[in-house]
Amino acid sequence: MQERAFALKRAGKTISCVPTMGFLHQGHLSLIRAARASADVLVVTIFVNPAQFGPSEDYRTYPRDPERDLRLCRQEQVDIVFAPEACDIYPDGYSTYIEETDLSRWLCGANRPGHFRGVATVVTKLFNIVQPDLAYFGQKDYQQSRVIMKMVKDLNLPVRIEVCPIVREDDGLAMSSRNKYLNPEERQEALCLYRALSRAEELVISGEYSAAKIREEMEAVIGQEVHSRIDYIEIRDGKTLEPRDQVGEGTLIALAVFIGKTRLIDNLVIGKVPG
Ligand code: AMP
Protein backbone atom coordinates (compact mmCIF):
# COMPACT_ATOMS: atom_id res chain seq x y z
CA MET A 1 0.00 0.00 0.00
CA GLN A 2 2.75 2.44 0.91
CA GLU A 3 4.67 1.75 -2.31
CA ARG A 4 1.49 2.28 -4.28
CA ALA A 5 0.83 5.54 -2.43
CA PHE A 6 4.34 6.83 -3.11
CA ALA A 7 3.97 5.93 -6.81
CA LEU A 8 0.65 7.80 -6.98
CA LYS A 9 2.25 10.81 -5.31
CA ARG A 10 5.17 10.75 -7.78
CA ALA A 11 2.60 10.76 -10.60
CA GLY A 12 1.09 13.93 -9.11
CA LYS A 13 -2.11 12.31 -7.81
CA THR A 14 -3.91 13.39 -4.66
CA ILE A 15 -5.18 10.76 -2.23
CA SER A 16 -8.19 10.81 0.09
CA CYS A 17 -8.68 8.25 2.81
CA VAL A 18 -11.65 6.97 4.83
CA PRO A 19 -10.51 4.88 7.80
CA THR A 20 -13.13 2.40 9.02
CA MET A 21 -13.51 -0.78 11.03
CA GLY A 22 -15.70 -2.26 8.30
CA PHE A 23 -19.24 -3.66 8.51
CA LEU A 24 -20.07 -0.65 6.39
CA HIS A 25 -23.33 1.26 6.67
CA GLN A 26 -24.75 4.50 5.29
CA GLY A 27 -22.67 6.54 7.75
CA HIS A 28 -19.48 5.13 6.27
CA LEU A 29 -20.85 5.54 2.75
CA SER A 30 -21.53 9.23 3.38
CA LEU A 31 -17.83 9.68 4.19
CA ILE A 32 -16.84 7.67 1.12
CA ARG A 33 -19.06 9.83 -1.11
CA ALA A 34 -17.67 13.05 0.36
CA ALA A 35 -14.11 11.77 -0.04
CA ARG A 36 -14.71 10.53 -3.59
CA ALA A 37 -15.05 14.00 -5.04
CA SER A 38 -12.12 15.48 -3.15
CA ALA A 39 -9.08 13.72 -4.59
CA ASP A 40 -7.86 11.68 -7.55
CA VAL A 41 -7.60 8.41 -5.67
CA LEU A 42 -9.88 7.21 -2.88
CA VAL A 43 -8.58 4.70 -0.34
CA VAL A 44 -10.87 3.06 2.21
CA THR A 45 -9.16 1.25 5.05
CA ILE A 46 -10.91 -1.58 6.85
CA PHE A 47 -9.23 -2.64 10.05
CA VAL A 48 -10.74 -3.68 13.36
CA ASN A 49 -8.02 -2.21 15.52
CA PRO A 50 -7.28 -4.37 18.57
CA ALA A 51 -5.33 -1.54 20.22
CA GLN A 52 -8.46 0.56 20.74
CA PHE A 53 -10.47 -2.14 22.51
CA GLY A 54 -10.20 -2.72 26.26
CA PRO A 55 -9.58 -6.30 27.51
CA SER A 56 -13.26 -6.76 28.41
CA GLU A 57 -14.59 -5.10 25.26
CA ASP A 58 -15.95 -6.54 22.03
CA TYR A 59 -12.86 -6.91 19.77
CA ARG A 60 -13.53 -10.60 19.10
CA THR A 61 -17.25 -10.25 18.53
CA TYR A 62 -17.16 -6.93 16.63
CA PRO A 63 -19.32 -7.46 13.50
CA ARG A 64 -17.38 -8.25 10.36
CA ASP A 65 -18.49 -8.88 6.76
CA PRO A 66 -15.52 -8.34 4.45
CA GLU A 67 -17.24 -9.56 1.30
CA ARG A 68 -20.17 -7.23 1.67
CA ASP A 69 -17.79 -4.37 2.51
CA LEU A 70 -15.82 -5.00 -0.67
CA ARG A 71 -19.01 -5.13 -2.73
CA LEU A 72 -20.14 -1.79 -1.30
CA CYS A 73 -16.73 -0.24 -1.91
CA ARG A 74 -16.82 -1.44 -5.50
CA GLN A 75 -20.30 0.07 -5.94
CA GLU A 76 -19.02 3.36 -4.54
CA GLN A 77 -16.07 3.29 -6.94
CA VAL A 78 -13.49 3.17 -4.22
CA ASP A 79 -10.09 2.86 -5.92
CA ILE A 80 -8.24 0.95 -3.23
CA VAL A 81 -9.41 -0.98 -0.17
CA PHE A 82 -6.61 -1.47 2.33
CA ALA A 83 -7.59 -4.22 4.76
CA PRO A 84 -4.56 -5.43 6.69
CA GLU A 85 -4.51 -8.16 9.34
CA ALA A 86 -3.80 -7.31 12.97
CA CYS A 87 -0.38 -9.03 12.67
CA ASP A 88 0.54 -6.74 9.72
CA ILE A 89 -0.14 -3.62 11.76
CA TYR A 90 1.13 -4.92 15.11
CA PRO A 91 3.76 -7.57 14.39
CA ASP A 92 5.35 -9.44 17.30
CA GLY A 93 7.39 -7.07 19.41
CA TYR A 94 5.46 -3.96 18.38
CA SER A 95 6.12 -1.28 21.04
CA THR A 96 5.43 2.26 19.78
CA TYR A 97 2.25 4.21 20.58
CA ILE A 98 0.91 7.72 20.01
CA GLU A 99 -0.95 9.44 22.81
CA GLU A 100 -2.87 12.71 22.77
CA THR A 101 -2.94 13.69 26.42
CA ASP A 102 -5.52 16.48 26.76
CA LEU A 103 -8.78 15.90 24.85
CA SER A 104 -8.44 12.13 25.35
CA ARG A 105 -8.87 12.35 29.11
CA TRP A 106 -12.60 13.03 29.08
CA LEU A 107 -15.83 11.41 27.97
CA CYS A 108 -15.09 8.08 26.26
CA GLY A 109 -11.43 8.39 27.31
CA ALA A 110 -12.36 8.40 31.00
CA ASN A 111 -14.33 5.18 30.78
CA ARG A 112 -12.30 3.41 28.08
CA PRO A 113 -8.68 3.70 29.22
CA GLY A 114 -6.22 3.33 26.33
CA HIS A 115 -8.95 3.71 23.72
CA PHE A 116 -7.73 6.96 22.16
CA ARG A 117 -4.11 5.83 22.40
CA GLY A 118 -5.13 2.91 20.21
CA VAL A 119 -7.03 5.19 17.84
CA ALA A 120 -4.21 7.75 17.57
CA THR A 121 -1.65 5.02 16.99
CA VAL A 122 -3.55 3.24 14.24
CA VAL A 123 -4.59 6.46 12.50
CA THR A 124 -0.97 7.66 12.46
CA LYS A 125 0.14 4.32 11.04
CA LEU A 126 -2.63 4.37 8.42
CA PHE A 127 -1.68 7.92 7.44
CA ASN A 128 1.96 6.87 7.06
CA ILE A 129 0.98 3.89 4.95
CA VAL A 130 -1.72 5.51 2.78
CA GLN A 131 -0.15 9.01 2.53
CA PRO A 132 -3.51 10.79 2.22
CA ASP A 133 -3.85 14.49 1.45
CA LEU A 134 -7.30 14.39 3.02
CA ALA A 135 -8.90 12.06 5.53
CA TYR A 136 -12.60 11.82 6.39
CA PHE A 137 -14.11 11.12 9.80
CA GLY A 138 -17.67 11.19 11.20
CA GLN A 139 -19.10 13.56 13.78
CA LYS A 140 -20.73 10.45 15.25
CA ASP A 141 -17.41 9.86 17.04
CA TYR A 142 -17.04 13.53 17.92
CA GLN A 143 -14.27 13.17 20.49
CA GLN A 144 -12.32 10.90 18.16
CA SER A 145 -12.46 13.54 15.43
CA ARG A 146 -11.17 16.22 17.85
CA VAL A 147 -8.36 13.99 19.12
CA ILE A 148 -7.29 13.26 15.55
CA MET A 149 -7.46 16.94 14.55
CA LYS A 150 -5.33 17.83 17.58
CA MET A 151 -2.83 15.06 16.88
CA VAL A 152 -2.49 16.16 13.24
CA LYS A 153 -1.83 19.72 14.38
CA ASP A 154 0.55 18.81 17.20
CA LEU A 155 2.58 16.40 15.06
CA ASN A 156 2.49 18.51 11.86
CA LEU A 157 1.04 15.61 9.92
CA PRO A 158 0.57 16.67 6.28
CA VAL A 159 -3.11 15.72 5.99
CA ARG A 160 -6.34 17.72 6.07
CA ILE A 161 -9.08 16.33 8.31
CA GLU A 162 -12.70 16.63 7.19
CA VAL A 163 -15.57 15.81 9.56
CA CYS A 164 -18.96 14.77 8.12
CA PRO A 165 -22.39 14.96 9.81
CA ILE A 166 -24.02 12.07 11.68
CA VAL A 167 -26.12 9.80 9.47
CA ARG A 168 -29.21 8.44 11.22
CA GLU A 169 -31.83 5.78 10.64
CA ASP A 170 -35.27 7.15 9.71
CA ASP A 171 -36.34 7.07 13.36
CA GLY A 172 -33.26 9.00 14.52
CA LEU A 173 -30.94 6.26 15.80
CA ALA A 174 -27.37 7.13 14.79
CA MET A 175 -26.04 4.46 12.45
CA SER A 176 -23.38 2.27 13.99
CA SER A 177 -21.95 -1.17 13.31
CA ARG A 178 -22.73 -1.97 16.95
CA ASN A 179 -26.50 -1.48 16.37
CA LYS A 180 -26.34 -5.06 15.10
CA TYR A 181 -26.00 -6.23 18.71
CA LEU A 182 -29.46 -4.88 19.63
CA ASN A 183 -32.44 -7.24 19.83
CA PRO A 184 -35.79 -5.77 18.66
CA GLU A 185 -36.74 -4.55 22.12
CA GLU A 186 -33.32 -2.95 22.69
CA ARG A 187 -33.44 -1.41 19.20
CA GLN A 188 -36.59 0.45 20.29
CA GLU A 189 -35.03 1.47 23.59
CA ALA A 190 -31.91 2.71 21.78
CA LEU A 191 -33.99 5.59 20.45
CA CYS A 192 -33.68 7.19 23.88
CA LEU A 193 -30.24 8.60 22.96
CA TYR A 194 -31.67 10.58 20.08
CA ARG A 195 -34.75 11.47 22.10
CA ALA A 196 -32.57 12.83 24.90
CA LEU A 197 -30.55 14.92 22.44
CA SER A 198 -33.73 16.19 20.78
CA ARG A 199 -35.07 17.13 24.21
CA ALA A 200 -31.82 19.00 24.92
CA GLU A 201 -32.11 20.85 21.62
CA GLU A 202 -35.72 21.79 22.34
CA LEU A 203 -34.72 23.15 25.73
CA VAL A 204 -31.95 25.26 24.22
CA ILE A 205 -34.30 26.59 21.54
CA SER A 206 -36.80 27.53 24.24
CA GLY A 207 -34.11 29.49 26.10
CA GLU A 208 -32.93 26.98 28.72
CA TYR A 209 -29.12 27.21 28.74
CA SER A 210 -28.30 25.63 32.09
CA ALA A 211 -26.15 22.52 31.53
CA ALA A 212 -27.33 21.04 34.85
CA LYS A 213 -30.99 21.43 33.92
CA ILE A 214 -30.46 20.04 30.42
CA ARG A 215 -28.52 17.05 31.78
CA GLU A 216 -31.26 16.38 34.31
CA GLU A 217 -33.93 16.31 31.59
CA MET A 218 -31.80 14.06 29.41
CA GLU A 219 -31.30 11.66 32.33
CA ALA A 220 -35.08 11.51 32.77
CA VAL A 221 -35.57 10.61 29.09
CA ILE A 222 -32.93 7.84 29.24
CA GLY A 223 -34.26 6.62 32.60
CA GLN A 224 -37.59 5.71 31.02
CA GLU A 225 -36.02 2.70 29.29
CA VAL A 226 -35.72 -0.45 31.39
CA HIS A 227 -32.48 -1.72 29.87
CA SER A 228 -30.68 1.63 29.73
CA ARG A 229 -27.70 2.59 31.87
CA ILE A 230 -26.05 5.97 31.44
CA ASP A 231 -22.28 5.82 31.00
CA TYR A 232 -22.03 9.61 30.67
CA ILE A 233 -23.96 12.68 29.62
CA GLU A 234 -21.53 15.56 29.12
CA ILE A 235 -21.97 19.19 28.14
CA ARG A 236 -18.67 20.60 27.00
CA ASP A 237 -16.92 23.11 24.84
CA GLY A 238 -16.93 21.69 21.30
CA LYS A 239 -13.28 22.54 20.76
CA THR A 240 -11.46 22.14 24.10
CA LEU A 241 -13.94 19.57 25.49
CA GLU A 242 -13.80 21.41 28.81
CA PRO A 243 -16.97 21.33 30.95
CA ARG A 244 -19.53 24.08 30.36
CA ASP A 245 -22.16 25.25 32.86
CA GLN A 246 -24.04 27.11 30.17
CA VAL A 247 -24.88 25.93 26.69
CA GLY A 248 -24.12 28.27 23.78
CA GLU A 249 -22.78 28.39 20.22
CA GLY A 250 -20.37 25.50 19.64
CA THR A 251 -21.28 23.57 22.79
CA LEU A 252 -21.12 19.79 22.54
CA ILE A 253 -23.79 17.66 24.17
CA ALA A 254 -22.53 14.07 24.14
CA LEU A 255 -23.71 10.87 25.70
CA ALA A 256 -22.83 7.23 26.03
CA VAL A 257 -25.54 4.83 27.16
CA PHE A 258 -25.60 1.08 27.62
CA ILE A 259 -28.72 -0.55 26.20
CA GLY A 260 -28.46 -4.00 27.69
CA LYS A 261 -24.83 -4.95 27.05
CA THR A 262 -24.40 -2.65 24.05
CA ARG A 263 -22.74 0.72 24.59
CA LEU A 264 -23.99 3.38 22.19
CA ILE A 265 -22.81 6.97 21.72
CA ASP A 266 -24.38 10.00 20.12
CA ASN A 267 -23.96 13.76 20.23
CA LEU A 268 -25.19 17.14 19.17
CA VAL A 269 -23.34 20.41 18.64
CA ILE A 270 -25.30 23.60 19.24
CA GLY A 271 -24.89 25.90 16.25
CA LYS A 272 -21.85 25.39 14.07
CA VAL A 273 -19.30 22.65 14.73
CA PRO A 274 -16.07 24.47 15.72
CA GLY A 275 -13.25 24.34 13.16
P1 AMP B 1 -16.06 2.90 12.52
O1 AMP B 1 -16.04 1.88 11.43
O2 AMP B 1 -17.21 2.77 13.46
O3 AMP B 1 -14.73 3.03 13.21
O4 AMP B 1 -16.30 4.29 11.81
C1 AMP B 1 -15.48 4.73 10.77
C2 AMP B 1 -15.78 6.19 10.49
O5 AMP B 1 -17.15 6.34 10.14
C3 AMP B 1 -15.53 7.08 11.71
O6 AMP B 1 -14.95 8.30 11.29
C4 AMP B 1 -16.93 7.29 12.24
O7 AMP B 1 -17.09 8.50 12.94
C5 AMP B 1 -17.73 7.31 10.95
N1 AMP B 1 -19.13 6.99 11.24
C6 AMP B 1 -19.60 5.92 11.92
N2 AMP B 1 -20.94 5.99 12.05
C7 AMP B 1 -21.32 7.14 11.44
C8 AMP B 1 -22.58 7.78 11.25
N3 AMP B 1 -23.72 7.27 11.70
N4 AMP B 1 -22.59 8.96 10.58
C9 AMP B 1 -21.44 9.51 10.11
N5 AMP B 1 -20.22 8.94 10.26
C10 AMP B 1 -20.16 7.78 10.92
Side-chain angles (χ1 to χ4, degrees), residues 60-76:
R60 294 209 176 282
T61 53
Y62 192 83
R64 293 163 169 90
D65 191 345
E67 280 171 22
R68 180 172 169 278
D69 289 346
L70 280 180
R71 208 164 54 238
L72 286 170
C73 286
R74 216 169 268 129
Q75 273 170 23
E76 296 296 328

Side-chain angles (χ1 to χ4, degrees), residues 83-128:
E85 297 292 333
C87 59
D88 299 325
I89 297 295
Y90 304 111
D92 278 351
Y94 186 88
S95 60
T96 305
Y97 292 87
I98 303 285
E99 203 167 348
E100 190 286 325
T101 57
D102 179 23
L103 307 177
S104 306
R105 289 174 296 159
W106 321 104
L107 310 172
C108 290
N111 298 336
R112 299 184 70 188
H115 171 69
F116 287 113
R117 178 184 192 248
V119 169
T121 301
V122 82
V123 169
T124 304
K125 284 174 68 80
L126 291 171
F127 285 176
N128 282 332

Side-chain angles (χ1 to χ4, degrees), residues 16 27 34 192 230:
S16 59
C192 69
I230 295 170

Side-chain angles (χ1 to χ4, degrees), residues 18-31 45-48 52 62 119 136-142 144-145 148 162-169 173-179 265-266:
V18 180
T20 80
M21 298 207 297
F23 207 69
L24 302 180
H25 53 65
Q26 290 296 325
H28 298 115
L29 298 190
S30 75
L31 304 185
T45 71
I46 298 179
F47 181 59
V48 184
Q52 71 188 68
Y62 192 83
V119 169
Y136 285 75
F137 294 87
Q139 191 197 317
K140 161 82 186 345
D141 299 273
Y142 188 87
Q144 168 174 284
S145 72
I148 289 165
E162 297 285 344
V163 180
C164 298
I166 301 175
V167 176
R168 299 179 178 282
E169 303 284 357
L173 179 68
M175 290 199 182
S176 163
S177 306
R178 287 193 171 98
N179 292 348
I265 57 171
D266 202 343

